[in-house]
Amino acid sequence: MKIVITGGTGFLGRLLAERALARGDQVTLFDIASPPGGLGGLDGKADVILGDITDAATVNAVIAGSDAVVHLASMVSAGSEADFDAAMRVNLDGGRTVLEAVRATRLLFTSSLAVFGGAAMPPSVDGMTRPVPQNTYGMTKTVMELLINDMSRKGFFDGRTGRLPTVIVRPGKPNTAASSFASGVIREPLTGDVCELPVSRDLTLCVGGYRTVADGLMAMLDAPAESYGDDRVVNLPNITVSVSDMIAATKTVAARHGITLGTIEDTPNETVRAIVGSWPKAMDASRALALGCPQDTDLEAIIEAFVEDYLQG
């Protein structure tokens, strides 16, 4: 299968590319730039094309002849909140450019739990909970969800949307995502660095380990079109944890491996608190499980995976 991944040089894009290449797929990564340190094990194995997601001619050329497109390219949450016009250009104009190019092709789009919000939102949401996003990022994801549902209904393409929980533990440095702290509160201490924690330690959020999320997205990509019915949006599996739980699990794993932890400094940020605090605490993922998406067992297993993949060897 020929797969194009937009935003493909990012963390999730590389994880999906590794899985696709391992089973013999041909992979093209499309992004605005390559990571400064290169693509590691993907160098020489995946084709890389750089360009602007809103450039229709380039996007059409990249997608032409593909069997499936995974659309990850997006501005993240805090960045979208800070620059509405840029979020509209990248997330919506760029998203529509991709949808127009993906005709008669399978499309997997990554949405987010950030589509949910509002005073009437229940602590745990399901597939029929009404999206009422309380941030620009969530709004753009909601619009894309609706477009993909309608364009799939019209038979333009075979679309499917995976709503992501907060994905942990991302390697590298913090980015402008409001949820960046959820990886940082684990990653920075394990690498001996200082974590600046912008939220309260009793905050609860729903998370998914990066291995589980990547495997779940591959399962969604491979599932038969008829598995989705008239609603192409699926909540990916997740577990509900508090920041204190994350800190405690990190200490346990660090002790197991003899790792001396860096420190955590509480540095409240009201903008981050407002964005993350508007998200649901859990998402029902029964449809994802029926599609074969895996489920995380606990926090320690997620952190152990990070240690194995990024801190050892």
Side-chain angles (χ1 to χ4, degrees):
M1 184 159 61
K2 295 180 179 180
I3 302 176
V4 172
I5 306 176
T6 74
T9 69
F11 178 53
L12 268 184
R14 297 197 302 271
L15 290 179
L16 296 181
E18 289 170 359
R19 284 156 172 75
L21 288 167
R23 67 185 195 181
D25 292 329
Q26 179 180 327
V27 177
T28 297
L29 307 179
F30 179 68
D31 216 321
I32 193 69
S34 287
L39 295 172
L42 295 178
D43 281 327
K45 296 180 180 178
D47 295 325
V48 179
I49 300 175
L50 302 182
D52 191 323
I53 198 68
T54 64
D55 183 339
T58 300
V59 171
N60 277 312
V62 170
I63 289 176
S66 62
D67 301 303
V69 174
V70 181
H71 181 38
L72 306 177
S74 174
M75 284 186 64
V76 294
S77 50
S80 296
E81 193 67 9
D83 194 335
F84 178 86
D85 291 334
M88 292 290 286
R89 189 185 78 83
V90 174
N91 295 3
L92 291 187
D93 296 343
R96 283 200 62 196
T97 300
V98 172
L99 299 189
E100 290 296 331
V102 183
R103 294 302 175 97
T105 302
R106 186 175 304 183
L107 168 75
L108 173 62
F109 172 67
T110 51
S111 184
S112 166
L113 80 169
V115 302
F116 297 110
M121 180 189 68
S124 179
V125 299
D126 61 26
M128 298 308 293
T129 303
R130 181 185 173 199
V132 187
Q134 297 300 296
N135 53 83
T136 297
Y137 174 74
M139 176 276 291
T140 63
K141 292 294 187 180
T142 302
V143 172
M144 286 293 292
E145 287 185 3
L146 292 171
L147 279 171
I148 289 167
N149 263 15
D150 198 49
M151 294 176 79
S152 295
R153 178 185 65 84
K154 287 181 172 292
F156 294 157
F157 50 67
D158 168 14
R160 55 277 306 271
T161 296
R163 282 191 187 129
L164 302 185
T166 297
V167 180
I168 61 172
V169 180
R170 294 175 180 266
K173 297 297 182 182
N175 61 20
T176 60
S179 61
S180 181
F181 73 88
S183 288
V185 77
I186 298 169
R187 179 187 61 235
E188 266 69 275
L190 285 173
T191 54
D193 294 324
V194 176
C195 169
E196 295 184 354
L197 183 63
V199 299
S200 64
R201 300 189 182 204
D202 61 358
L203 174 77
T204 56
L205 63 163
C206 60
V207 303
Y210 62 86
R211 286 182 181 177
T212 303
V213 169
D215 289 340
L217 289 172
M218 292 300 291
M220 286 192 63
L221 181 65
D222 292 340
E226 58 269 21
S227 302
Y228 291 91
D230 58 9
D231 183 6
R232 318 294 290 191
V233 185
V234 175
N235 298 332
L236 281 172
N238 54 94
I239 57 175
T240 300
V241 299
S242 69
V243 174
S244 292
D245 293 335
M246 299 166 79
I247 294 170
T250 302
K251 289 179 179 178
T252 299
V253 173
R256 193 177 295 150
H257 291 275
I259 297 171
T260 300
L261 292 174
T263 59
I264 298 172
E265 297 180 357
D266 295 284
T267 55
N269 183 309
E270 292 308 317
T271 299
V272 172
R273 288 187 176 195
I275 293 173
V276 178
S278 71
W279 296 345
K281 308 306 180 187
M283 295 191 295
D284 176 79
S286 54
R287 290 187 68 205
L289 296 173
L291 290 172
C293 298
Q295 170 79 58
D296 285 305
T297 53
D298 55 51
L299 268 173
E300 287 184 27
I302 295 173
I303 298 170
E304 285 283 1
F306 173 74
V307 172
E308 178 181 348
D309 290 345
Y310 297 103
L311 299 187
Q312 294 179 341

